[in-house]
Amino acid sequence: MDVVELLARAAAMVPADVVSQAGVTVVDVREYLDHDEWEVALDLLADLDTGWRPPTAWWDLLIDSAELMWLPDTAAWCRWGRWESIHGIVRAELRLLPAAEGGRRTPMPGRGILRPLWDLGRRTAAGDPDLLVARVWVESAPALSPGATGSVRLGPLSPELWRHLQPGMTITMHEGRPAVGTAAIIEASNAR
């Protein structure tokens, strides 16, 4: 399949009433496809993931399109979206401690590379915090600087242990033993 066919198939899967946060619909995507603006069409499709739970097959079409167009960052985002379609979404407002207060000294990479430990309030049999691992994707930025606050998406390595999270709860991020930040949950939806 070529890029146009992959994108057209993905567009056909989007419900007509889905609107992105920027007000884009699948009609807009088709218009860009008609004008051979494939990269724009792909970016718009990848933003049409709110208001419905896209199936993994939809994300696979977007991943294949991104790879054919040599767009590794877009492909990485679509892989993240595919994972969320399977396991659910955890979004939070993360506040990193400044370096002077024991926080990170370097910016936190934002594309799902970092896998810090998180204290969700669980305890081990010995009574110690039961820290869990989750990847971090910083929304709308390539990184998050020490002392900064930003919206993030979390990709838990054991998603079933995160199912109790609710908006408004606060969890703590650790790198090693000390806490380096806190995250207020803003969205938590379980997998299908």
Side-chain angles (χ1 to χ4, degrees):
M1 254 186 274
D2 65 9
V3 170
V4 175
E5 187 177 346
L6 291 168
L7 293 173
R9 286 182 58 196
M13 295 173 75
V14 178
D17 62 342
V18 170
V19 180
S20 75
Q21 291 178 341
V24 174
T25 68
V26 72
V27 172
D28 301 307
V29 172
R30 288 190 184 106
E31 189 172 312
Y32 281 101
L33 284 175
D34 290 344
H35 291 94
D36 294 328
E37 295 285 346
W38 305 342
E39 189 172 343
V40 175
L42 173 58
D43 287 342
L44 294 177
L45 274 170
D47 283 342
L48 285 175
D49 66 333
T50 53
W52 70 304
R53 177 76 57 94
T56 57
W58 183 78
W59 287 110
D60 289 339
L61 292 168
L62 299 186
I63 292 165
D64 290 347
S65 298
E67 289 175 345
L68 285 172
M69 290 190 283
W70 295 89
L71 300 170
D73 291 341
T74 303
W77 167 247
C78 293
R79 280 188 195 88
W80 187 280
R82 184 183 195 283
W83 187 92
E84 287 183 340
S85 284
I86 296 169
H87 300 287
I89 297 169
V90 178
R91 293 181 60 237
E93 192 71 18
L94 175 61
R95 183 178 102 38
L96 293 177
L97 291 174
E101 294 177 24
R104 295 179 60 86
R105 297 189 192 294
T106 59
M108 184 179 78
R111 299 293 176 245
I113 297 166
L114 188 67
R115 297 173 183 225
L117 297 169
W118 296 89
D119 184 350
L120 309 184
R122 297 169 45 95
R123 297 281 173 224
T124 65
D128 297 320
D130 187 11
L131 303 178
L132 301 172
V133 178
R135 298 177 300 142
V136 180
W137 188 286
V138 178
E139 295 181 328
S140 305
L144 193 60
S145 297
T149 298
S151 295
V152 297
R153 295 173 103 94
L154 303 177
L157 298 190
S158 51
E160 65 282 354
L161 299 177
W162 293 62
R163 301 227 188 279
H164 69 285
L165 293 180
Q166 299 292 321
M169 294 176 76
T170 299
I171 59 177
T172 307
M173 181 177 137
H174 295 262
E175 289 183 300
R177 263 299 186 212
V180 294
T182 57
I185 304 300
I186 55 177
E187 178 182 353
S189 63
N190 295 327
R192 289 180 223 179

